[in-house]
Amino acid sequence: MRSTVEDPTDKNGRVRTIDWRDDHIVAIDQTKLPGELVELAIFSVEDLVDAIRRLAIRGAPALGAAGALGAAMAARDDPGHRDLALAGLRAARPTAVNLAWGVDRAAARLAEGPDAVLREALDVLEEDAVRNRRLAERGADWLAAQLQRPANVQTHCNAGALACVEWGTALGIVRALHERGRLGHVYVDETRPLLQGSRLTSWELTELGVDHTLVIDAAAATVLARGLANAVVVGADRITANGDVVNKIGTFPLALAAARAGVPFVVAAPESTIDPATESGLDVEIEVRDGREVLAIGGLPGTATLNYAFDVTPADLVTAIVTEDRLIRPALGERPA
Ligand code: MRU
């Protein structure tokens, strides 16, 4: 893998988290933020899998784009290698349904040749920004109507442009509220152990000029209990047919605290995050990551850990799921599929 420190703005003046350039994938290396804005150049599916596993590329919609572009890369290989590469890519991270969705959507064009697979993958990228904009406007409309005062939003992990190709989902709603002058303040959960909140969400909000305050995860419930936030908006890695939401570890306790405080708990995700084939969150494989991530800050080496990367928020705690096409209210018994 080659890392470059080029300006990630493309010739159209756009910044995309992940893109295709000539014959390879380029992606912002999210392990380097907020210190450095460094772009990775990825020339093989093996290197793409490595970038996904170490969260250089992360966030469900960005993983969908990575899966599709990886399939375009694999399509150039001979069938033996290609099938192995595609299976490895689908399995690189198990929880976000978008990764396998992206691989399968682009790979469905294999019979038409590598150019068709690449065209399909580029369509996935093009659609991402459009879909996110649509869901953001819908989410902002709904929240503005519910709250009838500035929204003070609490969010967890990073569901911004960095987690997508462009714009963002949960942070897309925050951006839409900000554009309309309907945003008060944003509370950002730190998001242990890999700090997607403090490293990535804070960075994005700073770039956007959005006022925000960082809190440790253990303070998340207190922010709600004290009435500082009047809405929780998060992304999702998978939404099951019954409306359970699988998202970054720490989302479930945030939903419990929101219910206790009487604050709406809103999930923003594209339709591709809905997995109609899986009935409930209990059926989803939850990624368990290396314990050294937990021990990295002051831990005693060798201590046993249980490093769940995601948790399941039951449907009855989810006030609304906002997609590019609809608003679903699982807490009222509405099912996404
Ligand atoms: O482990 P990560 O950083 O990939 O986890 C990301 C999340 O949990 C996001 O909230 C989710 O993917 C939605 S991103 C729009």
Side-chain angles (χ1 to χ4, degrees):
M1 192 181 303
R2 295 205 304 261
S3 296
T4 58
V5 282
E6 288 163 16
D7 179 352
T9 311
D10 76 5
K11 57 181 181 300
N12 302 315
R14 280 183 318 205
V15 178
R16 283 183 152 186
T17 300
I18 181 165
D19 210 348
W20 182 262
R21 194 172 296 155
D22 305 325
D23 59 350
H24 62 278
I25 295 169
V26 287
I28 293 173
D29 184 346
Q30 303 195 35
T31 65
K32 297 284 197 289
L33 284 167
E36 282 176 276
L37 188 54
V38 178
E39 194 172 71
L40 291 172
I42 298 169
F43 291 86
S44 71
V45 175
E46 290 71 25
D47 283 348
L48 178 60
V49 168
D50 175 66
I52 290 171
R53 288 218 174 106
R54 58 190 186 81
L55 270 58
I57 301 168
R58 51 146 298 282
L63 291 176
L69 293 174
M73 230 168 211
R76 303 182 301 205
D77 248 340
D78 67 72
H81 281 117
R82 183 187 72 203
D83 293 347
L84 272 178
L86 289 177
L89 183 56
R90 276 180 119 262
R93 289 190 80 193
T95 304
V97 71
N98 304 62
L99 176 59
W101 170 87
V103 173
D104 293 348
R105 179 168 156 183
R109 308 290 297 275
L110 274 170
E112 297 161 60
D115 289 348
V117 181
L118 179 58
R119 276 198 303 277
E120 189 71 31
L122 294 177
D123 282 351
V124 169
L125 272 65
E126 268 321 310
E127 288 169 19
D128 174 271
V130 177
R131 290 175 191 273
N132 289 343
R133 263 320 268 252
R134 271 199 351 236
L135 81 81
E137 296 303 328
R138 175 175 287 106
D141 285 348
W142 187 79
L143 262 182
Q146 295 289 310
L147 299 175
Q148 294 177 343
R149 59 200 155 106
N152 294 321
V153 174
Q154 183 161 7
T155 193
H156 191 74
C157 194
N158 171 267
L162 288 169
C164 304
V165 179
E166 290 178 57
W167 188 256
T169 57
L171 285 194
I173 293 179
V174 166
R175 291 173 75 166
L177 288 165
H178 182 60
E179 280 182 351
R180 299 174 184 195
R182 300 297 298 262
L183 183 68
H185 200 77
V186 182
Y187 291 89
V188 178
D189 294 353
E190 183 182 38
T191 318
R192 281 271 292 148
L194 295 180
L195 307 178
Q196 288 91 332
S198 52
R199 293 189 305 104
L200 306 177
T201 297
S202 275
W203 181 78
E204 284 198 45
L205 292 176
T206 302
E207 294 284 305
L208 293 167
V210 172
D211 290 340
H212 63 282
T213 298
L214 182 68
V215 297
I216 60 170
D217 297 338
T222 301
V223 167
L224 289 161
R226 294 191 157 225
L228 297 175
N230 56 15
V232 173
V233 187
V234 295
D237 283 84
R238 190 185 295 241
I239 297 169
T240 55
N242 70 343
D244 288 352
V245 171
V246 185
N247 192 47
K248 179 54 56 192
I249 192 79
T251 303
F252 174 35
L254 191 60
L256 287 167
R260 171 74 190 212
V263 160
F265 180 86
V266 179
V267 176
E271 290 282 332
S272 54
T273 301
I274 296 173
D275 175 11
T278 303
E279 173 57 23
S280 100
L282 296 175
D283 307 320
V284 176
E285 180 180 349
I286 300 295
E287 178 183 3
V288 177
R289 294 184 60 84
D290 194 316
R292 281 173 295 190
E293 291 176 352
V294 177
L295 297 173
I297 306 176
L300 183 67
T303 305
T305 62
L306 185 50
N307 188 14
Y308 287 127
F310 300 96
D311 61 23
V312 178
T313 300
D316 62 279
L317 292 176
V318 180
T319 315
I321 294 169
V322 185
T323 80
E324 66 275 35
D325 293 337
R326 53 195 169 137
L327 189 133
I328 310 150
R329 286 166 302 169
L332 299 183
E334 292 176 8
R335 291 172 58 93

